[in-house]
Coordinates of all heavy atoms in Angstrom, one line a residue:
I1 N 0.9 -1.2 0.0 CA 0.0 0.0 0.0 C 0.9 1.2 0.0 O 1.8 1.3 0.8 CB -0.9 0.0 1.2 CG1 -1.8 -1.2 1.3 CG2 -1.7 1.3 1.3 CD1 -2.6 -1.3 2.5
N2 N 0.7 2.1 -0.9 CA 1.4 3.4 -0.9 C 0.4 4.5 -0.4 O -0.2 5.2 -1.1 CB 1.9 3.7 -2.3 CG 2.9 4.8 -2.3 OD1 3.0 5.5 -1.3 ND2 3.6 5.0 -3.4
L3 N 0.4 4.6 0.9 CA -0.5 5.5 1.6 C -0.3 6.9 1.3 O -1.2 7.7 1.2 CB -0.4 5.2 3.1 CG -1.5 5.9 4.0 CD1 -2.8 5.3 3.7 CD2 -1.1 5.6 5.5
R4 N 1.0 7.2 1.0 CA 1.4 8.6 0.6 C 0.6 9.1 -0.6 O 0.3 10.3 -0.7 CB 2.9 8.7 0.4 CG 3.4 10.0 0.1 CD 4.9 10.0 0.1 NE 5.5 9.0 -0.7 CZ 6.4 9.1 -1.7 NH1 6.8 10.3 -1.9 NH2 6.8 8.1 -2.4
K5 N 0.3 8.3 -1.5 CA -0.3 8.7 -2.8 C -1.9 8.4 -2.8 O -2.5 8.5 -3.9 CB 0.3 8.0 -4.0 CG 1.8 8.4 -4.1 CD 2.4 7.7 -5.3 CE 3.9 8.1 -5.4 NZ 4.5 7.4 -6.6
T6 N -2.4 8.1 -1.7 CA -3.8 7.7 -1.6 C -4.6 8.5 -0.5 O -4.8 7.9 0.6 CB -4.0 6.2 -1.4 OG1 -3.1 5.5 -2.2 CG2 -5.4 5.7 -1.7
P7 N -5.0 9.7 -0.8 CA -5.6 10.5 0.2 C -6.9 9.9 0.8 O -7.2 10.0 2.0 CB -6.0 11.8 -0.5 CG -5.0 11.9 -1.7 CD -4.8 10.4 -2.0
V8 N -7.7 9.2 0.0 CA -8.9 8.5 0.5 C -8.5 7.5 1.6 O -9.2 7.4 2.6 CB -9.7 7.9 -0.7 CG1 -10.9 7.1 -0.1 CG2 -10.2 9.0 -1.6
L9 N -7.5 6.7 1.3 CA -7.1 5.7 2.3 C -6.5 6.4 3.5 O -6.7 5.9 4.6 CB -6.1 4.8 1.6 CG -5.7 3.5 2.4 CD1 -7.0 2.7 2.6 CD2 -4.8 2.7 1.5
Q10 N -5.8 7.5 3.4 CA -5.3 8.2 4.5 C -6.5 8.7 5.4 O -6.5 8.6 6.6 CB -4.6 9.5 4.1 CG -3.3 9.2 3.5 CD -2.6 10.5 3.0 OE1 -2.8 11.6 3.6 NE2 -1.8 10.4 2.0
Y11 N -7.6 9.1 4.8 CA -8.8 9.5 5.5 C -9.4 8.4 6.3 O -9.8 8.5 7.5 CB -9.8 10.1 4.6 CG -11.0 10.7 5.3 CD1 -10.9 11.7 6.2 CD2 -12.3 10.2 5.0 CE1 -12.0 12.2 6.9 CE2 -13.4 10.7 5.7 CZ -13.2 11.7 6.6 OH -14.3 12.2 7.3
L12 N -9.4 7.2 5.7 CA -9.9 6.0 6.4 C -9.0 5.6 7.5 O -9.5 5.3 8.6 CB -10.1 4.8 5.4 CG -11.2 5.0 4.3 CD1 -11.1 3.9 3.3 CD2 -12.5 5.1 5.0
Y13 N -7.7 5.7 7.4 CA -6.8 5.5 8.5 C -7.0 6.5 9.6 O -7.0 6.1 10.8 CB -5.3 5.6 8.0 CG -4.8 4.3 7.5 CD1 -5.3 3.6 6.4 CD2 -3.6 3.7 8.1 CE1 -4.8 2.4 5.9 CE2 -3.1 2.6 7.6 CZ -3.7 1.9 6.5 OH -3.1 0.7 6.1
Y14 N -7.3 7.7 9.2 CA -7.6 8.8 10.2 C -8.9 8.5 11.0 O -8.9 8.5 12.2 CB -7.7 10.1 9.5 CG -8.2 11.2 10.4 CD1 -7.4 11.8 11.4 CD2 -9.5 11.6 10.4 CE1 -7.9 12.8 12.3 CE2 -10.0 12.6 11.2 CZ -9.2 13.2 12.2 OH -9.7 14.1 13.0
L15 N -9.9 8.1 10.3 CA -11.2 7.8 10.9 C -11.1 6.7 11.9 O -11.6 6.7 13.0 CB -12.3 7.5 9.9 CG -12.8 8.7 9.1 CD1 -13.8 8.3 8.0 CD2 -13.4 9.8 10.0
C16 N -10.4 5.6 11.5 CA -10.3 4.4 12.3 C -9.1 4.5 13.3 O -8.9 3.6 14.1 CB -10.1 3.2 11.4 SG -11.5 2.9 10.4
Q17 N -8.3 5.6 13.2 CA -7.1 5.8 14.0 C -6.2 4.5 14.0 O -5.7 4.0 15.0 CB -7.4 6.2 15.4 CG -7.9 7.6 15.5 CD -6.8 8.6 15.2 OE1 -5.8 8.7 15.8 NE2 -6.9 9.3 14.0
I18 N -6.0 4.0 12.8 CA -5.0 2.9 12.6 C -3.6 3.4 12.8 O -3.2 4.4 12.2 CB -5.2 2.3 11.2 CG1 -6.6 1.7 11.0 CG2 -4.2 1.3 10.9 CD1 -7.0 1.3 9.7
G19 N -2.8 2.7 13.6 CA -1.5 3.1 13.8 C -0.5 2.9 12.7 O -0.6 1.8 12.0
L20 N 0.4 3.8 12.5 CA 1.4 3.7 11.5 C 2.8 3.8 12.1 O 3.1 4.9 12.7 CB 1.3 4.8 10.4 CG 0.0 4.8 9.6 CD1 -0.1 6.1 8.8 CD2 0.0 3.6 8.7
A21 N 3.6 2.7 12.2 CA 4.9 2.8 12.7 C 5.9 3.1 11.6 O 5.9 2.4 10.6 CB 5.3 1.5 13.3
M22 N 6.6 4.2 11.7 CA 7.5 4.6 10.6 C 8.9 4.7 11.2 O 9.2 5.1 12.3 CB 7.0 6.0 10.1 CG 5.6 5.9 9.6 SD 5.0 7.4 8.9 CE 5.8 7.4 7.3
S23 N 9.9 4.4 10.3 CA 11.3 4.4 10.7 C 12.1 5.3 9.7 O 12.6 4.8 8.7 CB 11.9 3.0 10.6 OG 11.1 2.1 11.4
P24 N 12.1 6.6 9.9 CA 12.7 7.5 9.0 C 14.2 7.2 8.7 O 14.7 7.4 7.6 CB 12.6 8.9 9.6 CG 11.4 8.7 10.6 CD 11.5 7.3 11.0
L25 N 15.0 6.8 9.7 CA 16.4 6.5 9.5 C 16.6 5.4 8.5 O 17.5 5.5 7.6 CB 17.1 6.2 10.8 CG 17.4 7.4 11.7 CD1 17.9 7.0 13.1 CD2 18.3 8.4 11.1
S26 N 15.9 4.3 8.7 CA 16.1 3.2 7.7 C 15.5 3.5 6.4 O 16.1 3.1 5.3 CB 15.5 1.9 8.3 OG 14.1 1.9 8.4
N27 N 14.4 4.2 6.4 CA 13.8 4.6 5.1 C 14.8 5.5 4.3 O 15.0 5.4 3.1 CB 12.5 5.4 5.3 CG 11.4 4.5 5.8 OD1 11.5 3.3 5.8 ND2 10.3 5.1 6.2
N28 N 15.5 6.4 5.0 CA 16.4 7.3 4.4 C 17.6 6.6 3.8 O 18.1 6.8 2.7 CB 16.9 8.4 5.4 CG 17.8 9.4 4.8 OD1 17.4 10.1 3.9 ND2 19.0 9.5 5.3
A29 N 18.0 5.6 4.5 CA 19.2 4.8 4.1 C 18.8 3.9 2.9 O 19.7 3.6 2.1 CB 19.7 3.9 5.2
L30 N 17.6 3.4 2.9 CA 17.2 2.4 1.8 C 16.6 3.0 0.6 O 17.0 2.6 -0.5 CB 16.3 1.4 2.5 CG 16.9 0.5 3.5 CD1 15.8 -0.4 4.2 CD2 18.0 -0.4 3.0
F31 N 15.6 3.8 0.8 CA 14.8 4.2 -0.4 C 14.2 5.6 -0.4 O 13.7 6.1 -1.5 CB 13.8 3.2 -0.8 CG 12.8 2.9 0.3 CD1 11.7 3.6 0.5 CD2 13.1 1.9 1.3 CE1 10.8 3.4 1.5 CE2 12.2 1.6 2.3 CZ 11.0 2.4 2.4
L32 N 14.0 6.2 0.7 CA 13.2 7.4 0.8 C 13.9 8.5 1.7 O 13.9 8.3 2.9 CB 11.8 7.1 1.3 CG 10.7 8.1 1.3 CD1 10.3 8.5 -0.1 CD2 9.5 7.6 2.1
N33 N 14.4 9.5 1.0 CA 15.2 10.5 1.8 C 14.2 11.3 2.7 O 13.0 11.3 2.5 CB 16.1 11.4 1.0 CG 15.3 12.2 0.0 OD1 14.1 12.4 0.1 ND2 16.0 12.7 -1.0
Y34 N 14.7 12.0 3.7 CA 13.9 12.7 4.6 C 12.9 13.7 4.0 O 11.8 13.9 4.4 CB 14.8 13.5 5.6 CG 15.6 12.6 6.5 CD1 17.0 12.7 6.5 CD2 15.0 11.7 7.3 CE1 17.8 11.9 7.3 CE2 15.8 10.8 8.1 CZ 17.2 10.9 8.1 OH 17.9 10.1 8.9
S35 N 13.4 14.4 2.9 CA 12.5 15.4 2.3 C 11.3 14.8 1.6 O 10.3 15.5 1.5 CB 13.3 16.2 1.3 OG 13.8 15.4 0.2
R36 N 11.3 13.5 1.3 CA 10.2 12.9 0.6 C 9.4 12.0 1.6 O 8.4 11.4 1.2 CB 10.7 12.0 -0.6 CG 11.3 12.9 -1.7 CD 11.6 12.1 -2.9 NE 10.6 11.2 -3.4 CZ 10.7 9.9 -3.6 NH1 11.9 9.3 -3.6 NH2 9.7 9.2 -4.1
N37 N 9.9 11.8 2.8 CA 9.2 11.0 3.8 C 7.9 11.6 4.2 O 7.8 12.8 4.5 CB 10.1 10.8 5.0 CG 9.6 9.7 5.9 OD1 8.5 9.7 6.4 ND2 10.5 8.7 6.1
P38 N 6.8 10.8 4.1 CA 5.5 11.4 4.4 C 5.2 11.5 5.9 O 4.1 12.0 6.3 CB 4.5 10.3 3.8 CG 5.3 9.0 3.9 CD 6.7 9.4 3.7
F39 N 6.1 11.2 6.8 CA 5.8 11.3 8.2 C 5.3 12.7 8.7 O 4.2 12.7 9.3 CB 7.0 10.9 9.0 CG 6.8 11.0 10.5 CD1 6.3 9.9 11.2 CD2 7.1 12.1 11.2 CE1 6.1 9.9 12.6 CE2 6.8 12.2 12.6 CZ 6.3 11.1 13.3
P40 N 5.9 13.8 8.3 CA 5.4 15.1 8.8 C 4.0 15.4 8.3 O 3.2 16.0 9.0 CB 6.5 16.1 8.3 CG 7.3 15.4 7.4 CD 7.2 13.9 7.5
Q41 N 3.7 15.0 7.0 CA 2.4 15.3 6.5 C 1.4 14.4 7.2 O 0.3 14.9 7.5 CB 2.4 15.0 5.0 CG 3.1 16.0 4.1 CD 4.6 15.7 4.1 OE1 5.0 14.6 4.3 NE2 5.4 16.7 3.8
F42 N 1.7 13.1 7.4 CA 0.8 12.3 8.1 C 0.5 12.8 9.5 O -0.7 12.8 10.0 CB 1.3 10.8 8.2 CG 1.3 10.1 6.9 CD1 2.0 8.9 6.9 CD2 0.7 10.6 5.8 CE1 2.0 8.1 5.7 CE2 0.7 9.8 4.6 CZ 1.4 8.6 4.6
F43 N 1.5 13.3 10.2 CA 1.4 13.8 11.6 C 0.5 15.1 11.6 O -0.4 15.2 12.4 CB 2.7 14.1 12.2 CG 2.7 14.7 13.5 CD1 2.2 14.0 14.6 CD2 3.1 16.0 13.7 CE1 2.1 14.6 15.9 CE2 3.0 16.6 15.0 CZ 2.5 15.9 16.1
A44 N 0.8 15.9 10.6 CA 0.0 17.2 10.5 C -1.5 16.9 10.2 O -2.4 17.7 10.6 CB 0.6 18.1 9.4
R45 N -1.8 15.9 9.5 CA -3.1 15.5 9.1 C -3.9 14.8 10.3 O -5.0 14.4 10.1 CB -3.2 14.7 7.9 CG -2.8 15.5 6.7 CD -2.8 14.7 5.4 NE -2.3 15.5 4.3 CZ -1.7 15.0 3.2 NH1 -1.5 13.7 3.1 NH2 -1.3 15.8 2.3
G46 N -3.2 14.5 11.3 CA -3.8 13.8 12.4 C -3.8 12.3 12.4 O -4.5 11.7 13.2
L47 N -3.0 11.7 11.5 CA -2.9 10.3 11.5 C -2.2 9.8 12.7 O -1.4 10.5 13.2 CB -2.2 9.8 10.2 CG -3.2 9.6 9.0 CD1 -3.6 10.9 8.4 CD2 -2.5 8.8 7.9
N48 N -2.5 8.6 13.1 CA -1.9 8.0 14.3 C -0.5 7.4 14.0 O -0.4 6.2 13.7 CB -2.8 6.9 14.9 CG -2.4 6.3 16.2 OD1 -1.5 6.9 16.8 ND2 -3.0 5.2 16.6
V49 N 0.5 8.3 13.9 CA 1.9 7.9 13.5 C 2.7 7.7 14.8 O 2.5 8.3 15.8 CB 2.5 8.9 12.6 CG1 1.8 8.9 11.3 CG2 2.5 10.3 13.2
A50 N 3.7 6.8 14.6 CA 4.7 6.5 15.7 C 6.0 6.3 15.1 O 6.1 5.8 14.0 CB 4.3 5.3 16.5
L51 N 7.0 6.8 15.8 CA 8.4 6.5 15.3 C 8.9 5.2 15.9 O 8.6 4.8 17.0 CB 9.3 7.6 15.8 CG 9.1 9.0 15.2 CD1 9.9 10.0 15.9 CD2 9.5 8.9 13.7
S52 N 9.6 4.4 15.1 CA 10.1 3.1 15.5 C 11.5 2.9 14.9 O 11.9 3.6 14.0 CB 9.1 2.0 15.0 OG 9.1 1.9 13.6
S53 N 12.2 2.0 15.5 CA 13.5 1.7 15.0 C 13.4 0.4 14.2 O 12.7 -0.5 14.5 CB 14.5 1.5 16.1 OG 14.1 0.5 17.0
D54 N 14.1 0.4 13.1 CA 14.1 -0.8 12.2 C 15.5 -1.2 12.0 O 16.4 -0.4 11.6 CB 13.5 -0.4 10.8 CG 13.4 -1.5 9.8 OD1 13.3 -2.6 10.3 OD2 13.5 -1.2 8.6
D55 N 15.8 -2.5 12.3 CA 17.2 -3.0 12.2 C 18.2 -2.1 12.9 O 19.1 -1.5 12.3 CB 17.6 -3.2 10.8 CG 16.7 -4.2 10.1 OD1 16.3 -5.2 10.8 OD2 16.5 -4.1 8.9
P56 N 18.1 -1.9 14.3 CA 18.9 -1.0 15.0 C 20.4 -1.2 14.8 O 21.2 -0.3 14.8 CB 18.5 -1.1 16.4 CG 17.5 -2.2 16.5 CD 17.2 -2.6 15.1
L57 N 20.8 -2.4 14.6 CA 22.3 -2.7 14.4 C 22.8 -2.2 13.1 O 24.0 -2.0 12.9 CB 22.6 -4.1 14.6 CG 22.3 -4.7 16.0 CD1 22.5 -6.2 16.0 CD2 23.2 -4.0 17.0
Q58 N 21.9 -2.0 12.1 CA 22.3 -1.7 10.8 C 22.1 -0.2 10.5 O 23.0 0.4 9.8 CB 21.4 -2.4 9.7 CG 21.9 -2.2 8.3 CD 21.1 -3.1 7.4 OE1 20.3 -3.9 7.8 NE2 21.4 -2.9 6.1
F59 N 21.1 0.5 11.1 CA 20.8 1.9 10.7 C 21.1 2.9 11.8 O 20.9 4.1 11.6 CB 19.4 2.0 10.3 CG 19.1 1.2 9.1 CD1 18.2 0.1 9.2 CD2 19.6 1.5 7.8 CE1 17.9 -0.7 8.0 CE2 19.4 0.7 6.7 CZ 18.5 -0.4 6.8
H60 N 21.5 2.5 13.0 CA 21.7 3.4 14.1 C 23.1 3.4 14.6 O 23.8 2.4 14.5 CB 20.7 3.1 15.2 CG 19.3 3.2 14.8 ND1 18.6 2.1 14.2 CD2 18.4 4.2 14.8 CE1 17.4 2.5 13.9 NE2 17.2 3.8 14.2
Y61 N 23.5 4.6 15.1 CA 24.9 4.8 15.5 C 25.0 4.7 17.0 O 26.1 4.8 17.5 CB 25.4 6.1 15.0 CG 25.5 6.1 13.5 CD1 24.6 6.9 12.8 CD2 26.4 5.4 12.8 CE1 24.6 6.9 11.4 CE2 26.5 5.4 11.4 CZ 25.6 6.1 10.7 OH 25.6 6.1 9.4
S62 N 23.9 4.7 17.8 CA 24.0 4.6 19.2 C 23.3 3.4 19.7 O 22.6 2.7 19.0 CB 23.3 5.9 19.8 OG 22.0 5.9 19.6
K63 N 23.4 3.2 21.1 CA 22.7 2.1 21.7 C 21.2 2.3 21.9 O 20.5 1.4 22.1 CB 23.4 1.7 23.0 CG 24.8 1.2 22.9 CD 25.3 0.9 24.3 CE 26.7 0.3 24.1 NZ 27.3 0.0 25.4
E64 N 20.8 3.6 21.8 CA 19.4 4.0 22.0 C 18.8 4.3 20.6 O 18.6 5.5 20.3 CB 19.4 5.2 23.0 CG 20.0 4.9 24.3 CD 19.2 3.9 25.1 OE1 18.0 3.7 24.8 OE2 19.8 3.2 25.9
A65 N 18.4 3.3 19.9 CA 17.9 3.5 18.5 C 16.7 4.4 18.5 O 16.5 5.2 17.6 CB 17.7 2.2 17.9
L66 N 15.8 4.2 19.4 CA 14.5 4.9 19.4 C 14.7 6.4 19.7 O 14.1 7.3 19.1 CB 13.5 4.3 20.3 CG 12.0 4.8 20.2 CD1 11.5 4.6 18.8 CD2 11.1 4.0 21.1
I67 N 15.6 6.6 20.6 CA 15.9 8.0 21.0 C 16.6 8.7 19.8 O 16.3 9.9 19.5 CB 16.8 8.1 22.2 CG1 16.0 7.7 23.4 CG2 17.4 9.5 22.4 CD1 16.7 7.6 24.7
E68 N 17.4 8.0 19.1 CA 18.0 8.5 17.8 C 17.0 8.8 16.8 O 17.1 9.9 16.1 CB 19.0 7.4 17.3 CG 20.0 8.0 16.3 CD 21.0 6.9 15.9 OE1 21.2 6.0 16.7 OE2 21.6 7.1 14.8
E69 N 16.0 8.0 16.6 CA 14.9 8.3 15.7 C 14.2 9.6 16.1 O 13.9 10.4 15.2 CB 13.8 7.2 15.7 CG 14.3 5.9 15.0 CD 14.3 5.9 13.5 OE1 13.9 6.9 12.9 OE2 14.8 4.9 12.9
Y70 N 13.9 9.8 17.3 CA 13.2 11.0 17.8 C 14.1 12.2 17.6 O 13.6 13.3 17.2 CB 12.8 10.8 19.3 CG 11.4 10.2 19.4 CD1 11.3 8.8 19.4 CD2 10.3 10.9 19.6 CE1 10.1 8.2 19.6 CE2 9.1 10.3 19.7 CZ 9.0 8.9 19.7 OH 7.8 8.3 19.9
S71 N 15.4 12.1 17.9 CA 16.3 13.2 17.8 C 16.4 13.7 16.3 O 16.4 14.8 16.0 CB 17.7 12.8 18.3 OG 17.6 12.5 19.6
V72 N 16.5 12.7 15.4 CA 16.6 13.0 14.0 C 15.3 13.6 13.5 O 15.3 14.6 12.8 CB 17.0 11.8 13.2 CG1 16.9 12.0 11.7 CG2 18.4 11.4 13.5
A73 N 14.2 13.1 13.9 CA 12.9 13.6 13.5 C 12.7 15.0 13.9 O 12.3 15.9 13.2 CB 11.8 12.7 14.0
K74 N 13.1 15.3 15.2 CA 13.0 16.7 15.7 C 13.9 17.6 14.9 O 13.4 18.7 14.6 CB 13.4 16.7 17.2 CG 13.4 18.1 17.8 CD 13.8 18.0 19.3 CE 14.0 19.3 19.9 NZ 13.0 20.1 20.2
A75 N 15.1 17.2 14.6 CA 16.0 18.1 13.9 C 15.6 18.3 12.4 O 15.6 19.4 11.9 CB 17.4 17.5 14.0
V76 N 15.2 17.2 11.8 CA 14.9 17.3 10.3 C 13.6 18.0 10.1 O 13.5 18.8 9.1 CB 14.9 15.9 9.7 CG1 14.4 15.9 8.3 CG2 16.3 15.3 9.7
W77 N 12.6 17.7 10.9 CA 11.2 18.2 10.6 C 10.8 19.3 11.5 O 9.7 19.7 11.6 CB 10.2 17.1 10.6 CG 10.5 16.1 9.5 CD1 10.7 16.4 8.2 CD2 10.6 14.7 9.6 NE1 10.9 15.3 7.4 CE2 10.8 14.2 8.3 CE3 10.4 13.8 10.6 CZ2 11.0 12.9 8.0 CZ3 10.6 12.5 10.4 CH2 10.8 12.0 9.1
K78 N 11.8 19.8 12.3 CA 11.5 21.0 13.2 C 10.3 20.7 14.2 O 9.5 21.5 14.3 CB 11.3 22.3 12.5 CG 12.4 22.6 11.4 CD 13.7 23.0 12.0 CE 14.6 23.5 11.0 NZ 15.5 22.6 10.5
L79 N 10.3 19.5 14.7 CA 9.2 19.1 15.7 C 9.5 19.8 17.0 O 10.6 19.9 17.5 CB 9.1 17.6 15.8 CG 8.8 16.8 14.5 CD1 8.9 15.4 14.8 CD2 7.4 17.2 14.0
T80 N 8.4 20.2 17.7 CA 8.5 20.8 19.0 C 8.5 19.7 20.1 O 8.1 18.5 19.7 CB 7.4 21.8 19.3 OG1 6.1 21.0 19.3 CG2 7.3 22.8 18.2
S81 N 8.7 20.0 21.3 CA 8.6 19.1 22.4 C 7.2 18.6 22.5 O 7.0 17.4 22.8 CB 9.1 19.7 23.7 OG 10.4 20.1 23.6
C82 N 6.2 19.4 22.3 CA 4.8 19.0 22.3 C 4.5 18.0 21.2 O 3.8 17.0 21.5 CB 3.9 20.3 22.2 SG 2.2 20.0 22.4
D83 N 5.1 18.3 20.0 CA 4.9 17.3 18.9 C 5.4 15.9 19.3 O 4.8 14.9 19.1 CB 5.6 17.8 17.7 CG 5.0 19.0 17.1 OD1 3.8 19.3 17.3 OD2 5.7 19.7 16.3
L84 N 6.6 15.9 19.8 CA 7.3 14.7 20.2 C 6.5 13.9 21.3 O 6.4 12.7 21.2 CB 8.7 14.9 20.7 CG 9.7 15.4 19.6 CD1 11.0 15.8 20.2 CD2 9.8 14.5 18.5
S85 N 5.9 14.7 22.2 CA 5.1 14.1 23.3 C 3.9 13.4 22.7 O 3.5 12.3 23.1 CB 4.7 15.1 24.3 OG 5.8 15.6 25.0
E86 N 3.3 14.1 21.7 CA 2.1 13.6 21.1 C 2.4 12.3 20.3 O 1.6 11.4 20.3 CB 1.4 14.7 20.2 CG 0.1 14.3 19.7 CD -0.6 15.4 18.9 OE1 -0.4 16.5 19.2 OE2 -1.4 15.0 18.0
I87 N 3.5 12.3 19.6 CA 3.9 11.2 18.8 C 4.2 10.0 19.7 O 3.8 8.8 19.4 CB 5.2 11.5 18.0 CG1 4.8 12.5 16.9 CG2 5.7 10.2 17.3 CD1 6.0 13.2 16.2
A88 N 4.8 10.2 20.9 CA 5.2 9.2 21.8 C 4.0 8.6 22.6 O 4.1 7.5 23.1 CB 6.2 9.7 22.8
R89 N 2.9 9.3 22.6 CA 1.8 8.8 23.5 C 1.2 7.5 22.9 O 1.2 7.0 22.0 CB 0.7 9.8 23.6 CG 0.0 10.1 22.3 CD -1.3 10.9 22.5 NE -1.8 11.4 21.2 CZ -2.5 10.7 20.4 NH1 -2.7 9.4 20.6 NH2 -2.9 11.2 19.2

């Protein structure tokens, strides 16, 4: 499913509050750079998004892979502390 290109499906995900686990660091390394990643748009539209770590030994440089995901997301997409709290809930 390419949710990024299907607004109707995004709306259904929003209505049902279906969770989306996204791993921007591994996506950036494999196929989708940060500027094309749909995470910030999904978050702004109210979709139930969460940051997750994917293959921490391969894509992360620290022992705290999830904290690294949050740090990179904050820096790249200019997320506030309130945004990060909402994503983490």
Side-chain angles (χ1 to χ4, degrees):
I1 298 174
N2 194 345
L3 192 60
R4 183 171 49 128
K5 296 180 180 180
T6 316
V8 173
L9 194 55
Q10 288 178 32
Y11 184 62
L12 292 174
Y13 270 61
Y14 169 77
L15 290 176
C16 296
Q17 284 298 292
I18 296 171
L20 298 168
M22 303 181 77
S23 306
L25 284 174
S26 68
N27 290 349
N28 184 59
L30 294 174
F31 57 88
L32 189 64
N33 64 17
Y34 296 119
S35 63
R36 293 185 52 229
N37 194 301
F39 181 87
Q41 289 83 22
F42 289 171
F43 176 67
R45 291 178 183 154
L47 273 71
N48 185 11
V49 292
L51 290 172
S52 65
S53 59
D54 180 32
D55 296 325
L57 295 175
Q58 186 173 358
F59 298 112
H60 298 90
Y61 297 106
S62 70
K63 292 181 180 180
E64 301 295 335
L66 191 56
I67 291 174
E68 196 173 338
E69 290 282 355
Y70 275 83
S71 299
V72 169
K74 179 179 170 71
V76 170
W77 295 311
K78 309 288 190 266
L79 299 174
T80 65
S81 297
C82 186
D83 292 338
L84 295 175
S85 296
E86 189 173 329
I87 293 165
R89 66 167 170 79

